[in-house]
Amino acid sequence: MPIDIPRRTVDELVTLYTVEPDVRDIYTEGRSDKNFLQTHVIDFADNPLCTVYAVSDRVEIPDGVLIQAGIMVGARGRVQWLADQLAAHMPAHESAKLIADRDFASVGADDDSDIHGLIYTDYSSMEAYALNESTISKLLGAALGVPQHVSARKVLSAIQSTLVALFLIRLCLRESQTGVRIPQKTLTKWNIDKHSKDNVVAAFRASLHSLSADKRNGLTPEDLLSQYETYEEKVGSDVRNFANGHDISLAIILYLKLHCGHVFNSDVRRPFQSPKVLEVLLMSCIERRVILEEPLFKELTTWASCKGN
């Protein structure tokens, strides 16, 4: 945590916003979202009283508080809890905007309640804003130098099925309440060109087998597949609503390794084989002219530029 940012209690924030009504604070789930909004909103808002924070850097919110409130533990839950607290203490405040990923709300599995000051991403995650031809073209050409025949359109088309499959697999594993996640080996060996339920069942099997039998809650891969197919019926045509943010860079890497793996051969580009590293590069390729067309960013930019009510 940055040493120059003191953590506040809710009461302290309420006092601050009451005494200083011109203050404009944005709270995000994590620091990568903070940096992204700093670049695309705060730096252009022309308001020195507007600041963006990762929620855990600014407010101490123990897990027990979330559990007591019936909110899922995690960064998203912390943002929701803080939004609810500020709304309860200051029902009509304009002092803070709290940004949470929409996550699995697109298939009805996550809460996206209307709370004053709380804004959900337009798509499933902040990273989903990168799923457009302009951004992917910049990544492929300027950053990675892929062959011209590997177009952004081809990549976007090819990775959609994988993104949706991994999104639903992650959801089903979360709902299993086993605490298990997709093994890294399964992710790195995912066949980007083969779209079948066999892949899905294999992922469930590998995930469950990473647990001892007594921790699987009696579940089988077939049980999880049945739940998967129920959620699959709710999937719409816009993949941005059904993509886990961290899977986007993974899917791009899987595609490039299969179709032009040589782009990672140089010492300079070899680190981009790591999804975490590529994700940073991918998000830096999003252009302001593109992002400012999105409803979330239009709302934030307008709000951040205003002082007072």
Side-chain angles (χ1 to χ4, degrees):
M1 173 182 154
I3 60 175
D4 59 338
I5 301 177
R7 284 185 175 180
R8 305 283 190 180
T9 65
V10 171
D11 287 342
E12 287 173 334
L13 289 178
V14 170
T15 299
L16 170 64
Y17 297 149
T18 301
V19 174
E20 299 287 350
D22 287 349
V23 167
R24 294 287 181 269
D25 286 342
I26 298 175
Y27 296 89
T28 69
E29 291 188 20
R31 292 177 185 168
S32 60
D33 289 350
K34 168 195 173 297
N35 295 337
F36 189 65
L37 292 176
Q38 178 72 45
T39 298
H40 292 287
V41 176
I42 304 302
D43 288 350
F44 296 90
D46 192 28
N47 184 353
L49 296 178
C50 193
T51 310
V52 59
Y53 302 99
V55 65
S56 293
D57 286 344
R58 184 61 165 163
V59 188
E60 181 71 43
I61 307 174
D63 288 353
V65 170
L66 300 180
I67 294 171
Q68 186 177 9
I71 298 174
M72 187 174 295
V73 172
R76 186 179 191 270
R78 286 176 168 80
V79 170
Q80 290 177 312
W81 181 87
L82 181 57
D84 188 61
Q85 292 297 306
L86 291 177
H89 286 80
M90 307 175 69
H93 75 85
E94 287 297 326
S95 300
K97 295 293 183 183
L98 302 101
I99 316 303
D101 284 347
R102 197 166 292 278
D103 280 359
F104 299 111
S106 58
V107 291
D110 271 328
D111 177 34
D112 57 355
S113 300
D114 184 12
I115 302 173
H116 181 75
L118 178 61
I119 310 176
Y120 293 96
T121 51
D122 298 298
Y123 312 112
S124 58
S125 65
M126 196 69 74
E127 292 81 8
Y129 288 106
L131 284 171
N132 57 75
E133 287 192 36
S134 173
T135 300
I136 302 300
S137 290
K138 190 174 181 180
L139 173 75
L140 297 178
L144 298 178
V146 304
Q148 289 187 352
H149 71 272
V150 181
S151 68
R153 183 170 297 182
K154 285 183 179 179
V155 172
L156 285 168
S157 176
I159 67 176
Q160 287 190 28
S161 295
T162 290
L163 290 176
V164 172
L166 293 178
F167 178 83
L168 296 179
I169 289 170
R170 291 185 187 280
L171 171 57
C172 292
L173 291 178
R174 190 192 76 176
E175 297 295 282
S176 73
Q177 298 184 355
T178 60
V180 72
R181 299 188 178 185
I182 308 172
Q184 188 60 34
K185 185 177 181 181
T186 299
L187 292 173
T188 56
K189 291 191 174 183
W190 186 273
N191 190 335
I192 199 81
D193 279 353
K194 183 180 179 182
H195 311 301
S196 73
K197 293 295 172 63
D198 290 340
N199 279 347
V200 174
V201 173
F204 284 139
R205 181 172 293 109
S207 301
L208 289 176
H209 284 183
S210 68
L211 298 171
S212 58
D214 61 318
K215 294 181 179 180
R216 298 174 192 170
N217 292 341
L219 293 169
T220 67
E222 290 71 27
D223 294 330
L224 294 176
L225 177 62
S226 177
Q227 186 179 32
Y228 176 102
E229 291 174 336
T230 298
Y231 282 124
E232 189 177 30
E233 295 176 357
K234 301 179 182 180
V235 172
S237 59
D238 191 340
V239 70
R240 292 174 295 182
N241 293 318
F242 311 98
N244 178 280
H246 300 311
D247 287 334
I248 294 171
S249 54
L250 168 68
I252 293 172
I253 290 168
L254 291 173
Y255 179 88
L256 295 179
K257 281 188 171 183
L258 189 62
H259 294 280
C260 54
H262 66 276
V263 301
F264 297 118
N265 288 344
S266 71
D267 291 340
V268 173
R269 296 191 179 110
R270 193 168 294 117
F272 297 140
Q273 295 179 91
S274 164
K276 290 183 179 179
V277 175
L278 188 71
E279 183 175 297
V280 174
L281 182 61
L282 174 65
M283 296 303 286
S284 71
C285 288
I286 298 177
E287 299 177 2
R288 279 200 82 237
R289 65 175 180 81
V290 174
I291 204 71
L292 288 182
E293 292 300 313
E294 301 289 359
L296 169 67
F297 288 84
K298 287 182 178 179
E299 180 176 350
L300 280 180
T301 302
T302 299
W303 167 84
S305 300
C306 296
K307 299 178 182 180
N309 293 323

